[in-house]
Amino acid sequence: AGGAVLGSAADRLFSLSGLFAVYKPKGPTSAGVLNLLKGRLLAEAGVQTNENKRNQVLKIGHGGTLDSAAAGVLVVGIGKGTKMLKTMLAGSKKYTAIGMLGKATDTLDATGKVTEEKPYDQVTKGDLENVLQKFTGHIMQVPPLYSALKKDGERLSTLMKRGEAVEAKPARPVRVYSLSLQQFQPPLFTLDVECGGGFYVRSLVSDIGKELSTCATMQELTRTKQGPFTLEEHALHEDKWTIDEIARSLEHCTSLLPREPSHKKLKTEHPGETAVICE
């Protein structure tokens, strides 16, 4: 009894399908935010998650990890939308980053231990702007040691925290579509970056420091755009994590996405990165 009433919210939840975006605050991991979201939705739908009955499983995933210390757009796939997340990983992303000259840390961001301090007062705004040109276009980048990349199935960051010796991954090609200096108030500088998949803004900030004969570490990072999803327009904050709001958002966001390959026109922002519908 009472199944019908209970069913309606649950039915609506399990019928949701597509991509939408949420705001990830500073602090939790991307997986943590996803679990919180999932818990919220299942609770609203009145679905018990702890019973080992043959429950409908809520399919939900995200399209690209943001570091715990970073904030901003996290693209989420729900239902069939989870198959579209691969395209999000490859597509372009925009970030605003605040770097600090004169200090280096083991994690390349503010959460790490300081490993080096160097004078930076010789660096001018012009120096910084000139150096940015070297990091625009197709460049090679060594990913950070503290990262979600894996070695033998374990995250490098997990191995590092355990005190195991980890060799740096080799430099790999990455793409920077645009890079500009927004503010310079030494030791702090603010960058706007648009980049392709597999790019680490922490590494960029660190490399810029080295290039300027000093060192630098990232203080703050915000992802302002991922694929067609922007922070201002599309990212749902925690108070909007409801079945209704997400349904509304999914409807609104469908128009942003490339159509299924059955249509001839499949023009994406960057040639060579056509949408792949992955199984």
Side-chain angles (χ1 to χ4, degrees):
V5 183
L6 205 156
S8 58
D11 289 345
R12 281 191 25 252
L13 173 59
F14 287 107
S15 70
L16 295 177
S17 188
L19 295 180
F20 63 102
V22 296
Y23 173 76
K24 178 193 138 5
K26 226 168 135 168
T29 61
S30 296
V33 168
L34 207 61
N35 285 334
L36 195 65
L37 171 69
K38 198 172 178 174
R40 239 349 127 69
L41 294 174
L42 289 168
E44 186 192 341
V47 178
Q48 296 290 311
T49 48
N50 50 7
E51 295 172 19
N52 285 339
K53 287 183 188 159
R54 282 175 305 139
N55 258 344
Q56 267 183 290
V57 179
L58 182 61
K59 280 178 73 175
I60 195 162
H62 68 72
T65 306
L66 261 182
D67 290 335
S68 306
V73 178
L74 189 67
V75 175
V76 177
I78 192 165
K80 291 203 180 88
T82 52
K83 294 182 178 182
M84 299 158 80
L85 291 170
K86 276 237 169 87
T87 56
M88 286 295 118
L89 289 164
S92 82
K93 303 159 186 70
K94 280 186 182 172
Y95 296 92
T96 298
I98 300 176
M100 183 192 234
L101 293 168
K103 271 195 176 118
T105 67
D106 55 0
T107 58
L108 311 186
D109 68 13
T111 65
K113 289 194 209 55
V114 175
T115 52
E116 197 181 10
E117 295 197 47
K118 279 185 163 180
Y120 58 85
D121 27 2
Q122 72 285 3
V123 178
T124 66
K125 189 179 181 190
D127 292 338
L128 200 45
E129 284 174 331
N130 287 339
V131 142
L132 296 187
Q133 293 166 19
K134 289 192 180 180
F135 294 99
T136 307
H138 290 277
I139 63 167
M140 296 298 286
Q141 185 186 65
V142 177
L145 284 176
Y146 279 89
S147 71
L149 297 179
K150 293 185 176 168
K151 178 195 170 191
D152 305 329
E154 281 203 275
R155 286 181 178 225
L156 293 185
S157 51
T158 311
L159 297 171
M160 292 286 290
K161 283 173 191 154
R162 214 188 289 147
E164 292 191 27
V166 174
E167 251 176 78
K169 291 260 182 188
R172 53 191 195 170
V174 289
R175 189 159 176 197
V176 178
Y177 297 105
S178 66
L179 178 57
S180 58
L181 181 66
Q182 296 305 311
Q183 245 183 333
F184 183 50
Q185 291 170 306
L188 299 178
F189 60 97
T190 305
L191 302 172
D192 273 349
V193 190
E194 183 175 3
C195 54
F199 184 85
Y200 281 90
V201 184
R202 284 183 284 151
S203 292
L204 170 72
V205 169
S206 169
D207 292 344
I208 285 170
K210 289 177 192 154
E211 197 66 40
L212 292 163
S213 307
T214 175
C215 51
T217 189
M218 195 172 74
Q219 293 301 104
E220 274 187 44
L221 182 66
T222 307
R223 182 153 67 196
T224 55
K225 188 169 191 251
Q226 183 176 6
F229 298 91
T230 66
L231 189 54
E232 299 79 52
E233 275 185 275
H234 310 110
L236 298 176
H237 285 252
E238 218 183 310
D239 58 331
K240 298 248 166 84
W241 291 359
T242 64
I243 296 169
D244 274 352
E245 287 289 350
I246 288 169
R248 202 169 300 151
S249 192
L250 286 167
E251 229 165 277
H252 172 60
C253 292
T254 313
S255 60
L256 302 171
L257 299 165
R259 302 252 176 97
E260 301 278 314
S262 57
H263 298 266
K264 278 190 191 134
K265 269 205 217 129
L266 235 190
K267 289 214 171 77
T268 48
E269 236 176 307
H270 306 295
E273 282 180 4
T274 44
V276 187
I277 310 302
C278 300
E279 286 305 321

